[in-house]
Amino acid sequence: MKILLIGATGTIGKAVAAQLSSQHKIISAGYRDGDVQVDLGSKESIQHLFETVGQIDAVVCTAGAAGFAPFSELTDADYQLALTNKLMGQINLVRIGQHYVSDGGSITLTSGILSREPMPGSVAISMANGALESFSKAVSLEIGRGLRVNTVSPVFVKETMEMMGMDSSTGLSAEDTAKAYVAAVQGEHSGETLDTPDFS
């Protein structure tokens, strides 16, 4: 398969690329790097991405920006970043990407554990994550052509936790996290939220 991987140079993205590249052709996309560039916060940029890449068999997105901040300190800009980039950016990957993905292909989005297990400071991220999970479930009922849309929900990644000086004992390695994305691409899931610990 020819797979467009957005966020390919991130911690999770690298692990996903490593596991899929042995059997599939990966086109890497990033904000500043990769084979092609894309700004998830811009619908025009996403349109240009697909026009550049052309026909593909699957889309995987491991990117999406949203910030941590206490509820009392969240600004309009904080909410807008989560809505425009993390949420609408990935929704637009489906809206636009469906026309470039082969019949029976798949689009895999990324939410996160904070949708169902929020923590102080996660309001904007939890909001976007929960919406993504609901979106993929609903859009799968209508998208047609045998296309599958799923959302992978990672827990905290060990490598990221270590980089931030956190105790990583409760995290999951990027390598194990990537297994859920592989299952979303190569399996038959549709309209599901795949929790990464279930695949490790």
Side-chain angles (χ1 to χ4, degrees):
M1 284 191 285
K2 189 176 175 183
I3 302 171
L4 173 62
L5 175 56
I6 298 151
T9 59
T11 304
I12 294 175
K14 284 178 184 173
V16 173
Q19 292 186 33
L20 287 174
S21 59
S22 61
Q23 299 181 55
H24 309 288
K25 175 179 171 54
I26 303 296
I27 302 168
S28 63
Y31 185 67
R32 291 192 182 88
D33 41 31
D35 300 319
V36 287
Q37 287 74 53
V38 64
D39 175 3
L40 280 183
S42 164
K43 188 179 178 185
E44 293 73 21
S45 179
I46 292 170
Q47 180 71 51
H48 179 70
L49 169 70
F50 283 108
E51 289 172 357
T52 301
V53 169
Q55 192 73 18
I56 49 178
D57 301 301
V59 178
V60 176
C61 181
T62 63
F68 270 94
F71 174 62
S72 61
E73 296 176 15
L74 284 169
T75 65
D76 287 354
D78 292 325
Y79 284 110
Q80 199 59 49
L81 174 64
L83 291 170
T84 304
N85 196 298
K86 174 97 175 168
L87 180 56
M88 280 310 300
Q90 294 192 83
I91 288 174
N92 283 332
L93 288 177
V94 179
R95 294 172 72 201
I96 299 168
Q98 64 176 320
H99 305 296
Y100 294 85
V101 176
S102 305
D103 291 358
S106 68
I107 303 175
T108 304
L109 311 177
T110 295
S111 61
I113 190 67
L114 294 171
S115 63
R116 283 159 289 158
E117 295 182 24
M119 59 190 290
S122 76
V123 168
I125 300 173
S126 297
M127 170 190 72
N129 286 351
L132 282 165
E133 292 171 7
S134 296
F135 168 77
S136 64
K137 188 175 184 179
V139 78
S140 294
L141 303 175
E142 300 185 47
I143 195 166
R145 292 177 38 235
L147 296 179
R148 298 179 299 107
V149 180
N150 294 289
T151 300
V152 171
S153 178
V155 296
F156 284 103
V157 177
K158 280 183 181 289
E159 290 88 337
T160 302
M161 296 174 83
E162 288 163 5
M163 194 169 59
M164 296 171 66
M166 299 167 64
D167 174 14
S168 63
S169 59
T170 59
L172 194 67
S173 71
E175 182 180 359
D176 282 340
T177 297
K179 294 174 183 175
Y181 291 90
V182 174
V185 172
Q186 298 182 163
E188 298 181 357
H189 304 277
S190 183
E192 295 184 33
T193 295
L194 284 66
D195 292 310
T196 55
D198 294 344
F199 296 86
S200 62

